[in-house]
Amino acid sequence: MQYRRRRCVRPSEEESKHFMKAILPSPIHAKQIRIPDEFITRFGNELSHVAKITVPDGRQWDMEVKKCGNDIFLCNKWQEFAEYYSISYGFYLDFKYEGNSEFNVVIYDTTSLEICYPFKTSSTNGKPNIECPKRAKDAVNGINPKNPSFCSKSFRDNFAYVPAEFAPKYLKLNVPFKLQNSQGKQWEVSCVFNKKGKSMRITTGFRKFARDNNLLKGVIYHFELIKSEPVVVLQVTEAPHTPWQQKCVRSSEEKGVRGFEHFKKAILPSPIHAKQIKIPDNFITIFGNELNNDAKVTVPDGRVWDIELKKRDNDVYFCNNWQQFAEFYSIEYGCYLSFKYEGNSMFSVIIFDATSVEIVYPPFKTNGEPKRKCGRPRKKSRVEMNDATSVEIVYPFKTPSTDGELNTKCPSPGKRSKVETSKSQGQKLKSMSKHASKRAEIAAIEFKPSYPYFRSKICERRYVYVHCGFAAKYLKQNVPIKVQNALGEEWEVFCTPNTFGSSEMRISRGFAYFQRANNLSHGDYCVFELIQKKPVVLKVTMFRTVDYLD
């Protein structure tokens, strides 16, 4: 048997209280964040005007809950919250509703791993201790190695700085040299000049070195010159952890919360995810030496699944019983999973459907055996069923006793987050987005549906192009068509000619609502599959750039 019944827990729709939010490259997310419609359908009548958000570091944030049309947002102090935790494009947040307008949140960075929360000390009055990196560097420099050396961070942009006192003396511009890990394996890299002074940056080849060795973003590494002829070789090791540095990395140790315990996985449109799922590299770097060959995964319904952990090269996967686990909970493209490591190769997991809201888990049968069908009821493809779609209900907010009305005025664009407006952050996001968008494009190209289809990139002005051959054969100008997501939910849209006299079309009117409801942003790719001709229904498989960042 692949799972064990630990206790009989039967979560209903009202007990599935998590929702997941992706941070997209939009100025809106610097000021506010939208709560998913499905969550509001379940709990909207319980929410008041102010929500209390609790973070694993122990801090609590009071945020205004505001209605704008049919949408509900967390705002007011959201910008301050995002800046404090450096939340930016590519991050994910897992919210758990605790009742009475109170939420707990876990924050994931672009590597899909839980962030290192700022450490609160009495000397900093609750502000993050920004001296940790500098003190760590000083500590490493105090090692006094036998050979010339320097210290540098591993940056998400996949480079490392070489200080001016080291670079011109031992390295040459664009001349290859070697980086060596603790096992003696070497990678060829080269340097370019930094913009200011005589310092350099290790760029060419560093990305492969960083990935192959699971270098962590923001962690300080020690580079020591161990050979100068005929080719320069630098030995790379991680900086040792002093007690105060350990507090910086494991920010919530005093409260019993180890940092980096959570990681999230997006289920992408790939046949690989049906049989196995890869654990993020940074999680393996931190906890890999604790893991056995078999993991126990506990689900909120009380079931415990024994799933094999298998290593292939430098990657580690959940496999073996993963396929049965995924089929049992209807885990498919568009779903998310939030794992928490409990120690001793044991994990707990929260499962989110394509609406980014926690699923309704299947109950146990009376004889102890589980039912096969579970999760939210899903509509069949329109090829199989032609019933009218249901209408989503959004419940009103709970209002105070003064019968006060919600402020329905939509927030106007204001000052952007400091994190978002900084030049260095902008360059970083551009580089990350470009690389991830390419990966999303490749995945979209490799996806081959069974029915007639076309693929297209989401444009900045919220429309998509339709290939001329597909448009001429299946679509008509200004005739309504339906676009359908992975859950079978549908939106009505219209096609217009791209240019006068051209057979190419674009889906424009009505598409903005579909785009917003499905967390699509500029640069994402979609494959539109014709699953019904009269009336036209296009099933949309989405390749979001944000899901290809890690």
Side-chain angles (χ1 to χ4, degrees):
M1 182 176 290
Q2 287 76 26
Y3 71 90
R4 296 180 291 115
R5 181 179 176 181
R6 186 175 66 180
R7 57 190 178 93
C8 186
V9 180
R10 301 188 179 185
S12 65
E13 185 168 292
E14 289 71 29
E15 294 173 315
S16 298
K17 297 185 176 182
H18 289 257
F19 69 87
M20 182 81 74
K21 285 301 295 185
I23 303 301
L24 305 177
S26 166
I28 295 175
H29 278 189
K31 301 285 290 184
Q32 61 191 17
I33 191 166
R34 179 174 171 269
I35 301 176
D37 294 337
E38 178 63 27
F39 180 87
I40 296 301
T41 300
R42 298 183 190 180
F43 301 107
N45 60 333
E46 299 181 20
L47 299 178
S48 60
H49 290 271
V50 178
K52 187 181 293 292
I53 312 296
T54 302
V55 189
D57 60 10
R59 295 176 179 84
Q60 291 184 335
W61 300 74
D62 293 331
M63 295 186 194
E64 182 182 359
V65 180
K66 184 173 290 187
K67 183 176 182 181
C68 181
N70 290 326
D71 298 329
I72 310 299
F73 296 88
L74 293 175
C75 51
N76 193 12
K77 289 189 178 180
W78 172 257
Q79 183 172 359
E80 181 182 349
F81 174 85
E83 290 177 358
Y84 185 78
Y85 292 104
S86 299
I87 295 170
S88 58
Y89 167 55
F91 278 52
Y92 278 80
L93 292 91
D94 173 4
F95 289 89
K96 181 184 179 183
Y97 182 52
E98 301 290 352
N100 197 29
S101 296
E102 296 182 1
F103 296 83
N104 290 333
V105 64
V106 174
I107 305 171
Y108 302 89
D109 64 18
T110 55
T111 70
S112 298
L113 196 64
E114 185 179 9
I115 68 168
C116 172
Y117 302 99
F119 181 63
K120 182 168 74 173
T121 64
S122 56
S123 60
T124 56
N125 297 320
K127 297 296 182 181
N129 188 348
I130 59 174
E131 296 301 319
C132 282
K134 180 180 183 301
R135 294 175 68 183
K137 183 183 290 187
D138 293 341
V140 180
N141 287 340
I143 296 175
N144 295 321
K146 298 178 181 179
N147 303 312
S149 65
F150 65 92
C151 295
S152 181
K153 288 182 181 179
S154 168
F155 290 87
R156 178 66 187 179
D157 290 335
N158 298 301
F159 65 85
Y161 286 111
V162 184
E165 58 268 23
F166 186 97
K169 192 172 182 179
Y170 301 104
L171 302 177
K172 294 181 180 180
L173 181 66
N174 294 323
V175 174
F177 62 97
K178 301 288 183 69
L179 297 180
Q180 179 173 300
N181 65 11
S182 57
Q183 287 77 41
K185 188 176 179 180
Q186 296 181 346
W187 286 257
E188 186 174 271
V189 296
S190 61
C191 279
V192 297
F193 277 125
N194 198 24
K195 293 182 178 180
K196 296 181 180 180
K198 296 182 179 180
S199 63
M200 292 184 180
R201 289 191 298 176
I202 306 174
T203 53
T204 304
F206 187 79
R207 173 179 296 183
K208 180 171 176 55
F209 172 78
R211 287 193 172 187
D212 290 350
N213 291 278
N214 297 323
L215 266 63
L216 295 179
K217 169 188 171 184
V219 173
I220 295 176
Y221 292 88
H222 183 240
F223 295 75
E224 181 179 0
L225 180 70
I226 60 173
K227 188 176 181 181
S228 56
E229 292 182 354
V231 178
V232 170
V233 178
L234 301 180
Q235 178 82 39
V236 184
T237 54
E238 185 176 346
H241 294 284
T242 62
W244 46 261
Q245 186 184 1
Q246 187 71 13
K247 285 184 179 180
C248 178
V249 176
R250 298 286 177 88
S251 59
S252 302
E253 196 84 52
E254 292 181 349
K255 295 183 179 294
V257 180
R258 299 195 300 175
F260 312 116
E261 290 175 323
H262 293 81
F263 66 88
K264 70 91 183 165
K265 289 299 296 184
I267 304 301
L268 304 178
S270 167
I272 296 175
H273 279 190
K275 296 183 179 180
Q276 61 187 25
I277 191 167
K278 181 175 176 288
I279 300 176
D281 294 337
N282 286 354
F283 179 88
I284 296 301
T285 299
I286 298 169
F287 296 109
N289 60 342
E290 301 181 19
L291 299 178
N292 301 319
N293 293 331
D294 294 307
K296 296 188 183 301
V297 179
T298 302
V299 189
D301 61 10
R303 297 178 178 89
V304 182
W305 295 73
D306 296 324
I307 301 179
E308 182 183 359
L309 290 177
K310 184 171 290 186
K311 183 176 181 181
R312 294 192 183 94
D313 298 325
N314 292 323
D315 299 328
V316 179
Y317 295 85
F318 285 122
C319 53
N320 194 10
N321 293 330
W322 172 258
Q323 186 169 2
Q324 183 178 353
F325 175 85
E327 290 176 355
F328 183 79
Y329 292 105
S330 301
I331 297 171
E332 55 190 25
Y333 158 65
C335 293
Y336 294 91
L337 294 94
S338 174
F339 289 89
K340 181 181 179 182
Y341 183 52
E342 307 285 357
N344 196 29
S345 297
M346 295 188 293
F347 298 81
S348 57
V349 65
I350 303 295
I351 304 170
F352 302 81
D353 64 21
T355 69
S356 298
V357 176
E358 186 179 8
I359 69 169
V360 178
Y361 303 96
F364 285 94
K365 288 185 177 180
T366 54
N367 61 1
E369 291 299 317
K371 295 180 180 179
R372 295 295 298 170
K373 187 63 179 176
C374 58
R376 294 180 65 239
R378 305 180 187 273
K379 295 181 184 179
K380 295 182 180 179
S381 167
R382 290 295 296 269
V383 171
E384 303 173 290
M385 183 177 71
N386 291 311
D387 296 342
T389 59
S390 59
V391 179
E392 184 175 23
I393 300 173
V394 179
Y395 292 100
F397 275 108
K398 178 179 67 177
T399 57
S401 57
T402 55
D403 296 324
E405 293 296 328
L406 278 172
N407 182 357
T408 58
K409 181 180 179 181
C410 298
S412 58
K415 182 180 177 182
R416 283 192 174 190
S417 164
K418 294 178 182 177
V419 174
E420 189 175 344
T421 55
S422 67
K423 184 177 180 181
S424 60
Q425 184 71 7
Q427 292 173 343
K428 172 183 176 180
L429 297 185
K430 184 177 180 180
S431 174
M432 290 167 52
S433 180
K434 183 178 179 180
H435 176 68
S437 181
K438 186 63 178 177
R439 294 175 64 190
E441 180 185 13
I442 292 171
I445 292 172
E446 291 176 347
F447 182 70
K448 306 295 184 184
S450 303
Y451 296 98
Y453 69 95
F454 68 93
R455 69 177 63 89
S456 189
K457 184 178 181 180
I458 302 295
C459 296
E460 192 168 4
R461 295 186 178 180
R462 298 191 174 185
Y463 60 80
V464 289
Y465 290 109
V466 183
H467 186 268
C468 58
F470 187 97
K473 190 172 183 179
Y474 300 109
L475 304 179
K476 294 181 180 180
Q477 180 180 345
N478 294 323
V479 174
I481 62 176
K482 300 282 188 180
V483 285
Q484 183 185 103
N485 66 10
L487 285 178
E489 298 169 329
E490 296 179 345
W491 287 258
E492 186 174 84
V493 296
F494 294 82
C495 283
T496 57
N498 185 31
T499 56
F500 182 75
S502 171
S503 59
E504 188 180 60
M505 290 186 179
R506 60 185 183 183
I507 301 175
S508 53
R509 183 153 60 100
F511 188 77
Y513 296 102
F514 172 80
Q515 180 179 337
R516 182 178 61 181
N518 290 278
N519 288 327
L520 289 169
S521 59
H522 172 52
D524 294 345
Y525 287 83
C526 291
V527 175
F528 296 79
E529 183 180 2
L530 182 71
I531 61 172
Q532 181 175 298
K533 293 183 179 180
K534 292 183 180 181
V536 170
V537 178
L538 302 177
K539 182 180 178 182
V540 186
T541 302
M542 306 163 209
F543 300 81
R544 300 178 184 89
T545 299
V546 69
D547 290 330
Y548 289 86
L549 287 170
D550 54 334

